[in-house]
Amino acid sequence: MTGRVWDPFLTEQDRRTLASLPPRGETVGASPALLLIDVYRAAFGDEPLPVLESVRRWPASCGLAAWDALPHITGLLAAAREAGLPVIHVTGYDVSQTGIERWSKRPGTPRRDGGFAAAGTGAGRGYEFMPGVAPAAGEAVVRKVTPSAFCCTALVPHLISTGADTVILAGETTSGCVRATAVDARSYGFRVILAEECVFDRHEAAHAMNLFDIHQKYGSVLPVAEVLSAVRTVHAIDQDHDQR
């Protein structure tokens, strides 16, 4: 595979080291599950705007990177549902309702608005699921207070109960909650697949180099077209088994 998003950020030494190593990465297993990580209003804002404009109202926004990823995420979600894959929506807690602070709050700093957004956006709106990706009936919702979807949640037993051997990750941010979830997923023995066009970050360099790290150490970063093909193949195999 050529033309990876991280290529412009690699040094000459990095390139030579990579050339001396065997190719990395893995494929989707027989029983994948889809994890949608923090695909909520705070990461997008109310309208597609460049990040420098969007963060004035929504400090957690990733700007156009988020909006560019959204059609790919909705397409992947639709394919996962059609294939009958377990779908897990990962989000946070609204501190105004629970009293539990976001993991990013620094000790000694004031409590943030429940929607972690600028004044006037409405408490709690930050955790609104974006249109087209809201949980459907029967789909699990995992709420976390740390970057990783696995830390202090019921995600592991839920994945085990579904028979999942692979987690396909989509959402944000690549350098934050997506990376933390990828590392923990690998630590628990799951295959890790990132659909490249379905993950995003507000910082371009951080996005690229975290994808590089994940691809080298924890799983595979694949074009969404390859992930969709794998999901449909799993679906076709399952249908064939059902007909026998």
Side-chain angles (χ1 to χ4, degrees):
M1 187 180 299
T2 60
R4 304 312 304 265
V5 66
W6 51 76
D7 285 347
F9 299 93
L10 299 179
T11 67
E12 182 57 32
Q13 177 176 293
D14 294 334
R15 298 177 192 279
R16 293 172 63 186
T17 302
L18 287 173
S20 70
L21 298 172
R24 302 301 298 267
E26 56 195 357
T27 57
V28 177
S31 300
L34 175 63
L35 270 67
L36 300 180
I37 302 172
D38 297 345
V39 190
Y40 46 45
R41 179 64 63 184
F44 291 78
D46 291 310
E47 59 183 317
L49 291 172
V51 66
L52 290 175
E53 297 179 39
S54 189
V55 295
R56 294 173 186 169
R57 184 167 176 82
W58 292 92
S61 171
C62 294
L64 294 178
W67 291 91
D68 289 344
L70 190 57
H72 297 291
I73 296 172
T74 56
L76 180 59
L77 175 58
R81 286 171 171 167
E82 183 179 357
L85 270 56
V87 176
I88 302 100
H89 302 260
V90 182
T91 185
Y93 285 102
D94 184 344
V95 65
S96 68
Q97 296 175 343
T98 66
I100 300 174
E101 295 285 2
R102 282 174 47 78
W103 60 268
S104 56
K105 181 184 180 298
R106 304 296 191 268
T109 59
R111 172 172 288 185
R112 295 186 179 187
D113 169 76
F116 52 100
T121 58
R125 282 201 62 217
Y127 290 114
E128 291 177 357
F129 289 103
M130 292 299 291
V133 295
E139 293 177 349
V141 176
V142 171
R143 295 188 179 274
K144 59 184 175 61
V145 294
T146 66
S148 171
F150 286 90
C151 183
C152 306
T153 73
L155 182 54
V156 169
H158 177 69
L159 288 171
I160 291 173
S161 72
T162 67
D165 62 4
T166 304
V167 290
I168 300 171
L169 306 184
E172 60 91 27
T173 60
T174 316
S175 61
C177 296
V178 170
R179 182 192 175 101
T181 300
V183 173
D184 279 358
R186 188 63 174 180
S187 299
Y188 280 110
F190 296 100
R191 296 190 188 195
V192 177
I193 303 294
L194 268 69
E196 183 173 330
E197 295 91 339
C198 297
V199 295
F200 56 95
D201 203 297
R202 69 184 56 84
H203 302 298
E204 294 176 336
H207 171 72
M209 292 314 297
N210 277 277
L211 288 181
F212 173 79
D213 279 344
I214 292 168
H215 190 71
Q216 293 300 310
K217 301 170 185 174
Y218 308 115
S220 290
V221 178
L222 302 177
V224 67
E226 290 189 25
V227 179
L228 288 170
S229 177
V231 167
R232 290 165 182 150
T233 297
V234 169
H235 182 42
I237 291 173
D238 288 345
Q239 284 188 319
D240 184 56
H241 287 168
D242 291 342
Q243 293 171 1
R244 291 182 180 181

